[in-house]
């Protein structure tokens, strides 16, 4: 994890992102957990898990890493064991968030394109198992990063800050590990989401043409198709989530490829000139922005979610009005 960039833009951007991300993802978790949005249990499991992962990204990466690095550059979080743990957690939680998006995309691909397998795969039990496996693998995959750092300073026998060990750069095993974990996140998920969406679009277009011909032959062209309407809502949700992921992760992927080709280092901002620094930090900022976009997608695409959100906002207002009215009754003028 490279050094925290500092400046007025970052000092404003990350606190605003944290405030929006925490409140929005908490709202999603509460609303979807109540099961009143008309979504299947399978979809709800994935969306809640994604919201939890995104909330953890905001807490660990944005608050404990970026904001703490800007406003509290020297704190107990800078002690080497805690610093190493934060770095490992940052990668693990981001990885989990990314792969849960892939899992959701694959689930919707199965539901739309593989009707025979849909009944067996698209269940809440399968969703729970997939979420558990994804989370466990992400933690195991990046637990090794804890051991790649050493103290930058030792003051009064207390190790401070994290410096990457030299062996991480010279050992073939660590070099292979570094390549693998960067390829697995975000390059492979990026490609998988593009591929699955392309296959889904092709299947939808083919199925739509067939259904339109059949319905035109049987009922006429002006008849509505409830099945296609239901499928359309599912597709809009899928494409909005995966599409935002692709757009927001694209600068990060480009930066990763550029860094590897040009052989720059992630771990020191001083190795970047102005244009490289802008590309890198823009990629990180948009990557973290993706952790608070999904709640707005749900609000924009799901009518029942909007209704639950409005009810949630109105509830404390109603409570305040009732308390005010009760106070007036107890103390009449």
């Amino acid at each position: 994890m490279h050094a925290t960039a500092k400046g007025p833009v970052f000092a404003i951007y990350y606190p605003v992102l944290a405030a929006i991300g925490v409140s929005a993802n908490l709202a999603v978790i509460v609303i979807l957990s109540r099961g009143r949005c008309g979504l299947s249990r399978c979809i709800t499991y994935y969306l809640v898990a994604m919201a939890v992962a995104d909330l953890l990204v905001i807490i660990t990466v944005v608050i404990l890493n970026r904001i703490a690095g800007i406003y509290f550059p020297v704190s107990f979080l800078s002690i080497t064991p805690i610093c190493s743990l934060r770095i490992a957690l940052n990668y693990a939680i981001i990885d989990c968030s990314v792969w849960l998006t892939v899992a959701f995309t694959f689930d919707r691909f199965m539901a739309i394109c593989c009707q025979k397998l849909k009944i067996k795969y698209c269940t809440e039990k399968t969703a729970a198992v997939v979420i558990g496996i994804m989370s466990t693998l992400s933690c195991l995959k990046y637990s090794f990063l804890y051991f790649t750092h050493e103290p930058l300073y030792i003051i009064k026998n207390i190790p401070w800050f994290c410096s990457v060990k030299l062996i991480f750069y010279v050992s073939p095993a660590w070099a292979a590990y570094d390549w693998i974990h960067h390829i697995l996140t975000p390059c492979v998920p990026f490609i998988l989401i593009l591929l699955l969406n392309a296959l889904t679009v092709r299947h939808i277009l083919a199925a739509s043409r067939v259904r339109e011909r059949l319905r035109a032959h049987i009922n006429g062209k002006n008849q509505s198709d409830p099945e296609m309407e239901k499928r359309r809502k599912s597709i809009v949700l899928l494409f909005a989530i995966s599409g935002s992921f692709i757009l927001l992760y694209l600068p990060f992927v480009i930066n990763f490829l550029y860094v590897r080709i040009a052989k720059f280092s992630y771990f020191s901002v001083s190795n970047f000139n102005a244009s490289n620094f802008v590309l890198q930090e823009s990629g990180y900022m948009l990557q973290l922005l993706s952790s608070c976009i999904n709640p707005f997608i749900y609000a924009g695409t799901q009518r029942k979610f909007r209704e639950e959100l409005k009810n949630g906002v109105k509830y404390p207002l109603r409570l305040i009005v009732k308390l005010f009215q009760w106070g007036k009754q107890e103390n009449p003028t």
Side-chain angles (χ1 to χ4, degrees), residues 225-237:
D225 189 344
E227 177 63 26
M228 289 303 297
E229 182 64 22
K230 180 181 178 182
R231 187 176 295 183
R232 185 189 66 81
K233 293 180 180 179
S234 179
I235 292 165
V236 168
L237 180 62

Side-chain angles (χ1 to χ4, degrees), residues 40-43 45-46 107 119-131:
S40 69
R41 295 282 292 177
C42 176
I43 295 178
Y45 272 35
Y46 281 114
D107 176 86
I119 298 176
K120 293 183 178 180
Y121 183 83
C122 299
T123 64
E124 55 189 275
K125 181 178 179 181
T126 302
V129 170
V130 170
I131 292 167

Side-chain angles (χ1 to χ4, degrees), residues 142-329:
Y142 291 99
S143 61
F144 299 101
L145 287 180
Y146 180 84
F147 304 100
T148 64
H149 296 86
E150 61 185 2
L152 188 61
Y153 307 106
I154 297 180
I155 303 173
K156 295 181 180 180
N157 294 324
I158 299 177
W160 289 93
F161 302 103
C162 290
S163 176
V164 180
K165 295 178 180 178
L166 180 61
I167 191 175
F168 186 79
Y169 297 105
V170 300
S171 170
W174 279 116
Y177 173 80
D178 185 50
W179 264 102
I180 289 171
H181 91 70
H182 276 102
I183 290 173
L184 288 178
T185 305
C187 294
V188 172
F190 196 84
I191 294 170
L192 285 176
I193 289 176
L194 283 174
L195 177 62
L196 290 171
N197 281 344
L199 294 173
T200 302
V201 169
R202 188 181 70 172
H203 176 85
I204 291 169
L205 292 176
S208 297
R209 286 194 292 266
V210 172
R211 290 184 67 88
E212 285 177 2
R213 286 197 296 267
L214 287 173
R215 292 186 65 83
H217 178 71
I218 297 173
N219 299 320
K221 293 184 179 181
N222 295 326
Q223 295 293 324
S224 61
D225 189 344
E227 177 63 26
M228 289 303 297
E229 182 64 22
K230 180 181 178 182
R231 187 176 295 183
R232 185 189 66 81
K233 293 180 180 179
S234 179
I235 292 165
V236 168
L237 180 62
L238 167 64
F239 286 178
I241 292 175
S242 56
S244 68
F245 173 86
I246 291 170
L247 289 175
L248 293 175
Y249 263 81
L250 183 59
F252 184 83
V253 173
I254 293 173
N255 178 62
F256 163 73
L257 296 174
Y258 177 70
V259 165
R260 291 295 165 173
I261 294 171
K263 297 184 179 179
F264 283 109
S265 171
Y266 274 110
F267 300 98
S268 175
V269 177
S270 62
N271 286 346
F272 285 77
N273 59 36
S275 60
N276 294 330
F277 178 76
V278 169
L279 176 61
Q280 173 183 273
E281 289 305 318
S282 298
Y284 283 118
M285 292 169 75
L286 291 176
Q287 178 197 35
L288 296 175
L289 177 62
S290 68
S291 296
C292 64
I293 287 296
N294 285 351
F296 298 96
I297 291 176
Y298 306 150
T301 61
Q302 303 294 310
R303 179 180 57 82
K304 291 185 178 180
F305 182 88
R306 289 195 298 273
E307 293 175 356
E308 289 294 313
L309 183 61
K310 290 177 182 177
N311 292 334
V313 172
K314 290 177 181 177
Y315 178 77
L317 297 178
R318 293 197 196 101
L319 190 61
I320 292 172
V321 170
K322 288 181 180 179
L323 289 173
F324 180 74
Q325 292 175 345
W326 178 80
K328 290 182 66 176
Q329 293 174 358

